[in-house]
Every structure is written in C-alpha cells, then in structure tokens.
C-alpha cells in the first residue's frame, strides 16, 4: 500500500485559506444573494487581498461550489486506482465512494450549497459547466483503464450517465435532508438507469 505523505505547512495554509474563502462566500451569498456579494467583501472577511482570492478561484461562483465540485479530481484519481478486474460500472460506482463520504461528513455545508444552487441561476449555470469538466476527467480516467481515447463518445456517455445518477442522488438527499443516504441514493439512481435501459 502506497504511503500517504502528510501535507507540508504551506500546503496546509493554502487549504485553510481556500476553506475560509469558500465559507465566507457561502455565508455572504446565503445572507444577501449572489448579485450583492462582491469578491472584495469576501476577501475583507477573510483578511486577504482580492489578488489572493483569484489565485484560488476564478469567480465567486467557483468559491461557493468548491465543496461539491472539488470532488471531481478525487473521484477520477480513485477510478484510476480501481482493480482492473472491475467492470466500468463497478469501477465508477466504487470511485464515487469518495464523494459519498465527503458529502456525508459535512451535510450542513452541502445542504446550503445545494439550496443556493437551486435559488441562484448563475450558480446553477456554473455548476453545469463544472459537471461537464467532471465528465471529461472521468472519461479520461476510464479511457486509460480501457485503453481507449478519453474523448470516445461511448465512454463520455457512460460517465455522463453516472454524473446524472450522482446529481439525482444529491437532490434526493437534499429533499430528505439526509446526506448519510448518499450511497443508497446513488445505487437507487443507478438501478433507475438500468430499468430504463432495459425497458
């Protein structure tokens, strides 16, 4: 088993600043809305410059969506590490356990992000753009597993379907106010897809 090396001091500081910026952005948008929230106000709350903010996030929307969207690269990394004997679906589902554990660990933040995502059209639009990046990252990792190009339409279709299942799982958890069910809801969404394809 590969040894996981601890983060250095600078890496921990960067992660702490990123987390504070995200928390400040979420609080501000939750209180006064996306349009009224400025990058200047976010950075003033954290005590850093706007230049520092833009080193971490290209937009305020990205800062808010960070708790969910940052999971994409981790899932792709896990997908690459899955045993070769697993089927594409098995490997994808197991890789998503990274996301399942993450949303279950911080349900309050995920609930707020989901609510804002529903109420702010600009956030929703950015979320959909980020989901497309997730699909590309997953397709590239899946292509490596299968010895096929990552931009293969068939592989992208499989990964996009998994992304839709994950989206359905998140919405179901949000509506039930229970993100501990993320794994169960994801399995249910995959079964829904299976039923549709078999019909």
């Amino acid at each position: 088993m590969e040894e996981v090396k601890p983060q250095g001091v600078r890496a921990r500081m960067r992660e702490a600043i990123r987390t504070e910026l995200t928390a400040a952005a979420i609080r501000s948008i939750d209180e006064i809305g996306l349009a009224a929230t400025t990058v200047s106000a976010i950075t003033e709350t954290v005590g850093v410059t706007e230049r520092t903010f833009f080193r971490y996030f290209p937009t305020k929307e990205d800062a808010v969506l960070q708790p969910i969207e940052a999971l994409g690269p981790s899932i792709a990394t896990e997908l690459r590490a899955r045993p070769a004997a697993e089927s594409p679906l098995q490997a994808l589902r197991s890789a998503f356990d990274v996301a399942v554990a993450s949303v279950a660990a911080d349900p309050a933040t995920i609930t707020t992000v989901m609510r804002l995502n529903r109420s702010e059209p600009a956030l929703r639009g950015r979320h959909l753009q980020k989901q497309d990046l997730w699909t590309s990252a997953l397709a590239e990792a899946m292509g490596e597993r299968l010895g096929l190009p990552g931009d293969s339409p068939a592989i992208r279709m499989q990964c996009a379907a998994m992304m839709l299942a994950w989206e359905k799982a998140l919405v179901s958890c949000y509506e039930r106010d229970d993100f501990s069910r993320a794994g169960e809801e994801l399995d249910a969404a995959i079964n829904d897809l299976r039923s549709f394809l078999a019909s």
Side-chain angles (χ1 to χ4, degrees):
M1 189 173 183
E2 199 173 310
E3 183 182 355
V4 178
K5 295 182 179 179
Q7 286 185 318
V9 173
R10 287 185 180 178
R12 292 198 299 272
M13 287 178 62
R14 285 195 297 269
E15 189 57 35
I17 292 171
R18 184 189 303 276
T19 300
E20 287 186 48
L21 288 170
T22 289
I26 290 173
R27 280 195 305 272
S28 180
I29 293 171
D30 196 24
E31 291 171 3
I32 62 175
L34 182 65
T37 294
T38 63
V39 170
S40 175
I42 294 170
T43 57
E44 185 176 342
T45 299
V46 177
V48 298
T49 65
E50 290 184 46
R51 184 177 177 182
T52 296
F53 177 93
F54 288 115
R55 280 204 292 263
Y56 290 91
F57 303 108
T59 68
K60 59 188 176 183
E61 288 87 352
D62 288 278
V64 174
L65 294 171
Q66 169 75 7
I68 292 177
E69 306 307 345
L71 297 172
S74 298
I75 298 169
T77 297
E78 181 63 22
L79 179 56
R80 288 184 171 91
R82 298 305 306 169
E86 289 182 342
S87 70
L89 179 56
Q90 287 174 325
L92 271 171
R93 173 60 189 86
S94 295
F96 265 81
D97 278 338
V98 172
V100 168
S102 182
V103 300
D106 191 4
T109 297
I110 300 301
T111 296
T112 303
V113 172
M114 291 282 292
R115 176 164 47 77
L116 294 175
N117 197 15
R118 287 183 157 200
S119 64
E120 296 282 357
L123 271 180
R124 181 63 182 169
R126 186 57 176 157
H127 170 70
L128 293 174
Q129 290 177 335
K130 301 288 273 186
Q131 294 294 286
D132 190 56
L133 294 177
W134 271 42
T135 299
S136 296
L138 292 175
E140 183 179 341
M142 183 61 75
E144 290 175 14
R145 285 178 57 86
L146 301 177
L148 296 171
D151 59 357
S152 161
I155 290 178
R156 283 192 61 85
M157 179 182 67
Q158 293 167 2
C159 294
M162 191 67 181
M163 288 302 304
L164 288 173
W166 175 240
E167 183 78 4
K168 180 180 183 295
L170 285 180
V171 170
S172 296
C173 290
Y174 175 79
E175 292 175 344
R176 292 170 178 263
D177 192 24
D178 185 4
F179 284 92
S180 69
R181 293 178 50 86
E184 296 171 56
E185 295 294 346
L186 180 55
D187 291 334
I190 291 171
N191 285 334
D192 287 344
L193 280 172
R194 282 196 177 110
S195 297
F196 169 71
L197 293 173
S199 64

